[in-house]
Amino acid sequence: MFFKNIIGHEFQKKALIRTVRESRISHAYLFFGPDGIGKRLISVEFAKILNCLRGESITEEVSKGERCDCHSCKKIEKGIHPDVFFVEYKGIKNIRVDQIREEVEERLFLTPFEGRFKVAIVDEAERMNPNAQNAFLKTLEEPPPDSVIILISSRPEALLPTIRSRCQLLEFRGLSEEIMLKEFRKRTDLSPDEAWVAVKLSGGSLGKALGLDKNVLSERKEIILKLSEINPKYASQVLGFVESMPTGSSSEDLEKLMFVFEIISAWLRDLVLIKIGFDEDHLSNRDLVSPIRKLAEKWSVDNILDKMKFLENAWYAVFRMNANKQIVLENLVLKIAE
Ligand SMILES: [Zn+2]
């Protein structure tokens, strides 16, 4: 069964199957929507459908409930099919013209080796610089026969309008919190409260939720409770908190610290939600309702919004301006505790 390993996105899956069944396959697609919600997986699955050796029976395949094990589907799954290739630019800021020529155009214009279609999947397509996008436009205007280009982007607005208009657009939205929670709990052994926080912090991206640092997640409650109780008059409390933070310069520490910022931000948001009358089901930290209510009585909405703004600036100072983490964190804790 195609798409068996992909949760949600029912409309998009059906639409893609329909274009194949009705022979209305487009030369170019733009899959867009938030990162980590399955666009890439769906593009691989679509490449399989396009080249499946049992392609005639797509309807049956879908209803049979088994994954196709034909030679072509297996090769695509393993990433070794000569006619299906990925263009990825992890870690590179800009995709240049020569890369597009070498990695996409030259390969697309070859006759398919063994498949029906040559499929180029371009992840993070918005990273093409304007020259590369213009070069790419030519391929989109006169696409080689038997070729399908799938552009994937979380920022489609960064693509030239002329590129967007040459593609069939397919929008992907984040998964619902309900589906996310169910799937997340199937795959982790975190407590229901921790799983809920992970879901709330991941904006519909199961990939992001699963990638969150489990150690930081399990320290969340302690981090929030400590922050709630710090008295700014006692320097030792402020320094103690900062010392317990991951302030090293390794990428692991940076990622952890970024996650701590997200936790603090979600907690401040919870405080605002309670202040303006939302019920507890809307909170990210559902297991901390009573300390949140207690603080909400003490702080005004303006005061909390002020702290949120401070947090945002602190984030920018640490992760964009490379400021001294200890100093920024000390000021942040003092601001939050005031
Ligand atoms: Zn197959």
Side-chain angles (χ1 to χ4, degrees):
M1 180 169 107
F2 292 109
F3 298 128
K4 198 184 174 191
N5 53 339
I6 299 161
I7 304 140
H9 310 304
E10 297 309 322
F11 168 80
Q12 291 81 351
K13 293 179 200 170
K14 281 191 189 125
L16 288 171
I17 286 177
R18 210 165 46 232
T19 61
V20 179
R21 211 183 289 152
E22 296 171 3
S23 304
R24 290 187 293 105
I25 299 157
S26 184
H27 275 295
Y29 292 85
L30 171 59
F31 291 1
F32 66 100
D35 278 326
I37 60 172
K39 296 187 297 299
R40 200 190 130 106
L41 275 176
I42 288 194
S43 69
V44 174
E45 212 66 2
F46 187 47
K48 283 198 211 164
I49 296 178
L50 290 171
N51 281 316
C52 180
L53 300 175
R54 299 186 194 142
E56 318 79 55
S57 56
I58 286 170
T59 333
E60 283 168 47
E61 288 294 337
V62 170
S63 54
K64 226 166 59 183
E66 281 163 19
R67 238 161 139 165
C68 181
D69 62 352
C70 80
H71 188 59
S72 169
C73 285
K74 273 189 352 209
K75 271 191 162 178
I76 295 175
E77 175 102 28
K78 285 188 195 155
I80 52 168
H81 195 293
D83 297 316
V84 175
F85 50 94
F86 278 98
V87 186
E88 288 174 290
Y89 302 94
K90 297 270 176 252
I92 300 176
K93 252 191 187 162
N94 286 316
I95 299 173
R96 298 183 319 270
V97 183
D98 49 328
Q99 281 175 286
I100 286 297
R101 295 219 168 104
E102 267 170 46
E103 295 180 35
V104 186
E105 297 186 326
E106 286 175 16
R107 296 173 72 179
L108 271 185
F109 278 96
L110 297 170
T111 321
F113 290 101
E114 52 185 70
R116 277 191 301 276
F117 290 94
K118 293 201 85 81
V119 184
I121 300 173
V122 185
D123 208 356
E124 299 182 80
E126 73 280 356
R127 284 174 181 259
M128 284 187 280
N129 69 23
N131 284 340
Q133 290 197 33
N134 273 318
F136 202 74
L137 196 55
K138 280 189 199 148
T139 316
L140 288 176
E141 303 231 6
E142 290 166 35
D146 308 320
S147 69
V148 174
I149 297 165
I150 305 174
L151 303 178
I152 299 178
S153 180
S154 57
R155 292 194 302 119
E157 68 283 356
L159 288 165
L160 294 175
T162 36
I163 287 205
R164 293 201 301 262
S165 66
R166 290 279 177 276
C167 297
Q168 188 170 324
L169 305 180
L170 198 54
E171 181 175 9
F172 291 79
R173 302 230 166 96
L175 298 173
S176 74
E177 286 176 346
E178 200 185 336
I179 294 180
M180 285 259 297
L181 190 63
K182 202 171 129 212
E183 291 302 323
F184 186 79
R185 294 212 59 203
K186 263 194 224 166
R187 294 159 201 230
T188 61
D189 51 7
L190 292 173
S191 73
D193 288 331
E194 282 165 352
W196 177 250
V197 177
V199 165
K200 289 295 266 186
L201 290 181
S202 302
S205 161
L206 187 61
K208 181 177 175 191
L210 290 168
L212 292 174
D213 190 299
K214 304 290 178 293
N215 294 325
V216 178
L217 200 55
S218 60
E219 286 162 19
R220 166 198 56 102
K221 214 167 161 178
E222 205 188 320
I223 292 172
I224 291 176
L225 289 175
K226 261 199 221 160
L227 260 184
S228 316
E229 285 158 13
I230 285 176
N231 185 335
K233 280 185 207 145
Y234 299 107
S236 62
Q237 286 186 8
V238 176
L239 294 176
F241 181 86
V242 174
E243 266 166 30
S244 70
M245 290 291 106
T247 49
S249 50
S250 68
S251 60
E252 199 192 336
D253 264 6
L254 276 177
E255 226 167 84
K256 281 186 176 177
L257 190 61
M258 213 179 256
F259 188 20
V260 171
F261 270 72
E262 281 189 54
I263 287 174
I264 299 174
S265 167
W267 164 64
L268 292 173
R269 201 166 52 231
D270 281 354
L271 278 158
V272 174
L273 291 178
I274 286 291
K275 291 290 297 184
I276 59 178
F278 275 85
D279 69 45
E280 293 159 6
D281 287 345
H282 288 88
L283 302 189
S284 300
N285 300 283
R286 292 198 293 206
D287 52 346
L288 294 172
V289 172
S290 78
I292 286 175
R293 283 205 178 280
K294 218 169 100 188
L295 266 186
E297 279 170 25
K298 247 169 65 183
W299 293 347
S300 71
V301 174
D302 281 347
N303 179 267
I304 304 166
L305 293 177
D306 211 27
K307 295 179 203 291
M308 286 171 103
K309 186 77 204 152
F310 202 93
L311 179 77
E312 212 176 282
N313 291 337
W315 186 96
Y316 191 79
V318 171
F319 300 108
R320 290 288 177 267
M321 306 301 288
N322 203 17
N324 181 304
K325 296 185 196 75
Q326 275 83 3
I327 295 175
V328 174
L329 282 172
E330 278 169 35
N331 287 326
L332 177 64
V333 174
L334 282 170
K335 176 73 189 175
I336 286 177
E338 87 183 1

